[in-house]
Amino acid sequence: MSARFAFLAGAAWMCICGACTTEPVVSPRKVTIGALLPLTGDLSSLGQASEAALALAVVEVNDYYEQLGLPAELTLVVEDTHADAEQALDKLRSFSGQGIILGIGPLTDEGFARCLPYAERTNRLLVSPFSTAPSLAAADDNGFRLVPDDAIWVQAMADAMHQDGIDAIAIMHRSGTGADELTQSVASAFADTGGSIIGNITYDPSTVPGTDFRDELDELEQLVSDATNDFGTAGVAVQLVSFDEAIQIFKQADSRSTLSAVRWYGAAGLAVNGDLIIDDEAADFANRVALVAPAYGGRDPERYDVVEAALEEELGRRPEPDAIVAYDALWLSALAAFSSPELANADTLRAALPNAAGIYQPATGPIELNAAGDRTDGPIEFWQVTTAGEQFVWRRIATYADGELQAIDVSTSGL
């Protein structure tokens, strides 16, 4: 851990401690929390940022209880899921032998769906900072999700495209529970704004030969070409629902003038992706097509910037906003674990986790959970790939809250 990281951890602890309205109940114990993160493969940029965020939170939690003079010690075990649902389940099973009953993750909808039945059977609790599929919302199960489900996201995405003057979209998306549901919902919401869906291309990233997307891009190019004849270039856009494979898609689309002439929109799996902006070819394409992608936008005015600065120092880049959701997930999980009189099963944890929000000031703003254990609401931010000097960067350009899209004055907001 860098000295700067440790210093900011201390600063963040002061904000957390100051926010506590009551002294937390603590049963003396050592607690180990597991984390299922994609440290390699798809979503590795988010996975690595989330790992750093969890490490920061562990330091703060232990400092917090030490400062209060309370007997509690937290440790963290992180496993790499490679963004693969079966590997996530295998790693969750490995937690059983270590006595770990509370896990952060998995991040993907597919991983969360695959792991939740096992968590139910073995009385374990999962807290995902990224899963949004509405089909995974169920009351009284052993899963919590700290971002709202797709209903808010899709309306924000559809309204953003409509406000940008887009009349028709071609959708290209990876297959899978989350992407399939999101794509259907975006198409429906965009159609409700009066927009047209000109085509929907699905690909399975695990079977595309050598990440060769030429066939899919050929089809996409024809759809866009036909649509521009009807709607004009400015009225047509591509909606891409992807993870890290977007980098290869952009590089292979770069030489296709039809595809580089229209706007592109991403989904949350691509927002503020650190790997994209360091790949010059892919980032240049993203910049030319004014790529915009949404991320969860809750920000506590006292805490968010402190946590973000600590992670940026540690990572050497801006962290994905969802990594800061992971940071909050660790804090809530730890407070719930230490306040529960028994950790033999998930029942007490399920009741304690919502209560933990009452003594914690989340970096991502207030956390209110619905009957399904999902975050009820919150703003969505839109980020765009652009340049700062000779570097490609992600810049926050708009927020969506309470059904309204508001542009951010980039001259005063910074990056």
Side-chain angles (χ1 to χ4, degrees), residues 314-375:
E314 185 73 4
L315 294 165
R317 62 173 176 86
R318 179 188 296 279
E320 288 85 345
D322 285 291
I324 303 179
V325 180
Y327 164 92
D328 280 340
L330 191 287
W331 256 105
L332 287 183
S333 298
L335 290 170
F338 285 122
S339 67
S340 300
E342 183 179 343
L343 282 178
N345 60 63
D347 294 336
T348 53
L349 287 174
R350 191 189 303 111
L353 197 142
N355 294 334
I359 60 167
Y360 172 62
Q361 182 179 353
T364 57
I367 296 176
E368 181 180 348
L369 301 172
N370 61 22
D374 298 342
R375 200 172 197 151

Side-chain angles (χ1 to χ4, degrees), residues 170-173 201 203 213 216-217 220 239-241 249:
I171 301 174
M172 180 174 176
H173 73 97
I201 301 167
Y203 64 88
F213 295 93
E216 289 79 7
L217 289 172
L220 180 65
Q239 170 68 67
L240 178 65
V241 179
I249 291 172

Side-chain angles (χ1 to χ4, degrees), residues 288-300:
R288 284 189 285 116
V289 299
L291 175 72
V292 170
Y296 185 72
R299 291 170 176 257
D300 180 86

